[in-house]
Short mmCIF file of all heavy atoms in Angstrom, two decimals:
data_model
loop_
_atom_site.label_atom_id
_atom_site.label_comp_id
_atom_site.label_asym_id
_atom_site.label_seq_id
_atom_site.Cartn_x
_atom_site.Cartn_y
_atom_site.Cartn_z
N ILE A 41 -10.88 1.85 30.87
CA ILE A 41 -10.80 0.87 29.77
C ILE A 41 -11.93 -0.03 29.88
O ILE A 41 -12.07 -0.66 30.97
CB ILE A 41 -9.45 0.19 29.71
CG1 ILE A 41 -8.26 1.28 29.69
CG2 ILE A 41 -9.29 -0.67 28.43
CD1 ILE A 41 -6.90 0.73 29.69
N GLU A 42 -12.62 -0.24 28.75
CA GLU A 42 -13.87 -1.03 28.83
C GLU A 42 -13.48 -2.44 29.26
O GLU A 42 -12.66 -3.02 28.58
CB GLU A 42 -14.48 -1.00 27.52
CG GLU A 42 -15.85 -1.81 27.50
CD GLU A 42 -16.64 -1.74 26.23
OE1 GLU A 42 -16.50 -0.58 25.55
OE2 GLU A 42 -17.40 -2.62 25.83
N GLY A 43 -14.16 -3.04 30.15
CA GLY A 43 -13.97 -4.39 30.58
C GLY A 43 -12.71 -4.71 31.37
O GLY A 43 -12.29 -5.81 31.56
N ARG A 44 -12.07 -3.62 31.96
CA ARG A 44 -10.84 -3.75 32.59
C ARG A 44 -10.94 -3.21 34.00
O ARG A 44 -11.79 -2.26 34.25
CB ARG A 44 -9.71 -3.14 31.86
CG ARG A 44 -9.38 -3.60 30.49
CD ARG A 44 -8.81 -5.02 30.57
NE ARG A 44 -8.59 -5.67 29.29
CZ ARG A 44 -8.06 -6.82 29.00
NH1 ARG A 44 -7.33 -7.37 30.01
NH2 ARG A 44 -7.95 -7.40 27.87
N ALA A 45 -9.99 -3.46 34.86
CA ALA A 45 -9.94 -2.95 36.22
C ALA A 45 -9.73 -1.46 36.14
O ALA A 45 -9.20 -0.86 35.23
CB ALA A 45 -8.86 -3.55 37.05
N ALA A 46 -10.29 -0.71 37.20
CA ALA A 46 -10.10 0.70 37.14
C ALA A 46 -8.72 1.29 37.51
O ALA A 46 -8.30 2.37 36.99
CB ALA A 46 -11.05 1.29 38.28
N VAL A 47 -7.92 0.46 38.22
CA VAL A 47 -6.40 0.84 38.53
C VAL A 47 -5.56 -0.36 38.07
O VAL A 47 -5.90 -1.52 38.36
CB VAL A 47 -6.36 1.10 39.94
CG1 VAL A 47 -4.89 1.45 40.35
CG2 VAL A 47 -7.34 2.20 40.36
N THR A 49 -2.71 -3.16 38.10
CA THR A 49 -2.03 -3.79 39.09
C THR A 49 -0.46 -3.84 39.16
O THR A 49 0.09 -4.46 39.93
CB THR A 49 -2.49 -5.32 38.97
OG1 THR A 49 -2.07 -5.85 37.67
CG2 THR A 49 -4.02 -5.49 39.24
N TYR A 87 -3.24 -0.71 22.96
CA TYR A 87 -3.24 -2.05 23.54
C TYR A 87 -2.10 -2.86 23.01
O TYR A 87 -1.71 -2.90 21.94
CB TYR A 87 -4.58 -2.73 23.06
CG TYR A 87 -4.64 -4.17 23.50
CD1 TYR A 87 -4.80 -4.63 24.72
CD2 TYR A 87 -4.53 -5.23 22.53
CE1 TYR A 87 -4.86 -6.04 25.01
CE2 TYR A 87 -4.67 -6.61 22.78
CZ TYR A 87 -4.83 -6.89 24.12
OH TYR A 87 -4.92 -8.27 24.47
N ARG A 89 -0.95 -6.55 24.48
CA ARG A 89 -1.16 -7.97 24.47
C ARG A 89 -1.75 -8.38 25.80
O ARG A 89 -1.56 -7.63 26.87
CB ARG A 89 0.13 -8.79 24.18
CG ARG A 89 0.89 -8.71 25.48
CD ARG A 89 2.37 -9.26 25.13
NE ARG A 89 3.31 -9.29 26.31
CZ ARG A 89 3.78 -8.26 26.87
NH1 ARG A 89 3.64 -6.98 26.32
NH2 ARG A 89 4.58 -8.33 27.95
N GLY A 90 -2.59 -9.33 25.82
CA GLY A 90 -3.18 -9.86 27.06
C GLY A 90 -3.78 -8.68 27.87
O GLY A 90 -4.71 -8.10 27.45
N GLU A 91 -3.31 -8.48 29.10
CA GLU A 91 -3.93 -7.50 29.96
C GLU A 91 -3.04 -6.20 30.05
O GLU A 91 -3.18 -5.30 30.83
CB GLU A 91 -4.14 -7.98 31.32
CG GLU A 91 -2.93 -8.52 32.01
CD GLU A 91 -3.18 -9.23 33.31
OE1 GLU A 91 -4.34 -9.83 33.32
OE2 GLU A 91 -2.45 -9.01 34.24
N TRP A 92 -2.11 -6.11 29.00
CA TRP A 92 -1.10 -5.00 29.01
C TRP A 92 -1.50 -3.90 28.04
O TRP A 92 -1.82 -4.18 26.98
CB TRP A 92 0.25 -5.66 28.76
CG TRP A 92 0.86 -6.41 29.89
CD1 TRP A 92 0.58 -7.77 29.98
CD2 TRP A 92 1.56 -5.92 31.05
NE1 TRP A 92 1.27 -8.16 31.26
CE2 TRP A 92 1.83 -7.04 31.90
CE3 TRP A 92 1.99 -4.75 31.44
CZ2 TRP A 92 2.55 -7.00 33.03
CZ3 TRP A 92 2.61 -4.58 32.68
CH2 TRP A 92 2.94 -5.73 33.46
N TYR A 93 -1.41 -2.69 28.66
CA TYR A 93 -1.63 -1.45 27.81
C TYR A 93 -0.51 -0.60 28.09
O TYR A 93 0.03 -0.37 29.22
CB TYR A 93 -2.92 -0.83 28.30
CG TYR A 93 -4.17 -1.63 27.87
CD1 TYR A 93 -4.70 -2.66 28.53
CD2 TYR A 93 -5.03 -1.20 26.80
CE1 TYR A 93 -5.72 -3.38 28.37
CE2 TYR A 93 -6.09 -1.86 26.48
CZ TYR A 93 -6.52 -3.04 27.18
OH TYR A 93 -7.69 -3.72 26.89
N SER A 125 -0.62 -3.19 33.48
CA SER A 125 -1.36 -4.32 33.48
C SER A 125 -2.85 -3.90 34.10
O SER A 125 -2.95 -3.57 35.21
CB SER A 125 -0.79 -5.40 34.38
OG SER A 125 -1.70 -6.51 34.47
N PHE A 126 -3.85 -4.22 33.16
CA PHE A 126 -5.34 -3.89 33.70
C PHE A 126 -6.07 -5.14 33.49
O PHE A 126 -6.35 -5.56 32.22
CB PHE A 126 -5.95 -2.91 32.78
CG PHE A 126 -5.37 -1.46 32.92
CD1 PHE A 126 -4.44 -1.00 32.34
CD2 PHE A 126 -6.04 -0.75 33.98
CE1 PHE A 126 -3.86 0.37 32.52
CE2 PHE A 126 -5.65 0.56 34.23
CZ PHE A 126 -4.62 1.12 33.48
N PRO A 127 -6.12 -6.00 34.53
CA PRO A 127 -6.92 -7.31 34.48
C PRO A 127 -8.35 -7.23 34.01
O PRO A 127 -8.98 -6.19 34.28
CB PRO A 127 -6.90 -7.86 35.93
CG PRO A 127 -5.72 -7.10 36.64
CD PRO A 127 -5.78 -5.80 35.89
N GLU A 128 -8.89 -8.24 33.35
CA GLU A 128 -10.26 -8.14 32.95
C GLU A 128 -11.09 -8.29 34.25
O GLU A 128 -10.84 -8.82 35.20
CB GLU A 128 -10.53 -9.41 32.04
CG GLU A 128 -10.05 -9.24 30.64
CD GLU A 128 -10.34 -10.33 29.75
OE1 GLU A 128 -11.04 -11.32 30.22
OE2 GLU A 128 -10.09 -10.38 28.57
N GLU A 129 -12.37 -7.61 34.09
CA GLU A 129 -13.36 -7.66 35.04
C GLU A 129 -14.71 -7.93 34.35
O GLU A 129 -14.95 -7.39 33.24
CB GLU A 129 -13.49 -6.32 35.89
CG GLU A 129 -12.38 -6.25 36.83
CD GLU A 129 -12.49 -4.97 37.77
OE1 GLU A 129 -13.54 -4.39 37.59
OE2 GLU A 129 -11.65 -4.64 38.49
N THR A 130 -15.56 -8.62 35.11
CA THR A 130 -17.01 -8.97 34.56
C THR A 130 -17.69 -7.52 34.47
O THR A 130 -17.71 -6.85 35.61
CB THR A 130 -17.67 -9.91 35.55
OG1 THR A 130 -16.92 -11.06 35.52
CG2 THR A 130 -19.07 -10.17 34.93
N TYR A 131 -18.32 -7.28 33.38
CA TYR A 131 -19.17 -6.02 33.33
C TYR A 131 -20.43 -6.16 32.45
O TYR A 131 -20.68 -7.24 31.86
CB TYR A 131 -18.20 -5.01 32.72
CG TYR A 131 -17.95 -5.15 31.17
CD1 TYR A 131 -18.71 -4.40 30.21
CD2 TYR A 131 -16.98 -6.07 30.78
CE1 TYR A 131 -18.37 -4.53 28.92
CE2 TYR A 131 -16.63 -6.17 29.43
CZ TYR A 131 -17.36 -5.47 28.52
OH TYR A 131 -17.20 -5.61 27.15
N TYR A 164 -19.37 -2.91 36.72
CA TYR A 164 -18.43 -4.01 37.11
C TYR A 164 -18.86 -4.63 38.43
O TYR A 164 -18.95 -3.76 39.41
CB TYR A 164 -17.04 -3.34 37.20
CG TYR A 164 -16.63 -2.71 35.67
CD1 TYR A 164 -16.83 -1.53 35.39
CD2 TYR A 164 -15.89 -3.65 35.03
CE1 TYR A 164 -16.46 -1.00 34.29
CE2 TYR A 164 -15.46 -3.08 33.69
CZ TYR A 164 -15.69 -1.74 33.45
OH TYR A 164 -15.30 -1.29 32.17
N GLY A 165 -18.70 -5.87 38.56
CA GLY A 165 -18.99 -6.54 39.92
C GLY A 165 -19.22 -8.02 39.59
O GLY A 165 -19.04 -8.55 38.53
N ARG A 203 -19.30 -1.18 40.79
CA ARG A 203 -18.47 -0.12 40.24
C ARG A 203 -19.07 0.41 38.95
O ARG A 203 -19.30 -0.38 37.98
CB ARG A 203 -17.03 -0.31 40.13
CG ARG A 203 -16.22 0.71 39.67
CD ARG A 203 -14.75 0.42 39.71
NE ARG A 203 -14.31 -0.72 38.83
CZ ARG A 203 -13.98 -0.54 37.55
NH1 ARG A 203 -14.01 0.61 37.08
NH2 ARG A 203 -13.61 -1.56 36.91
#
Side-chain angles (χ1 to χ4, degrees):
I41 302 173
E42 183 172 332
R44 301 286 174 170
V47 179
T49 55
Y87 176 69
R89 67 192 184 284
E91 59 188 35
W92 289 91
Y93 291 77
S125 173
F126 289 93
E128 290 186 348
E129 288 191 356
T130 304
Y131 72 101
Y164 296 89
R203 176 173 67 87

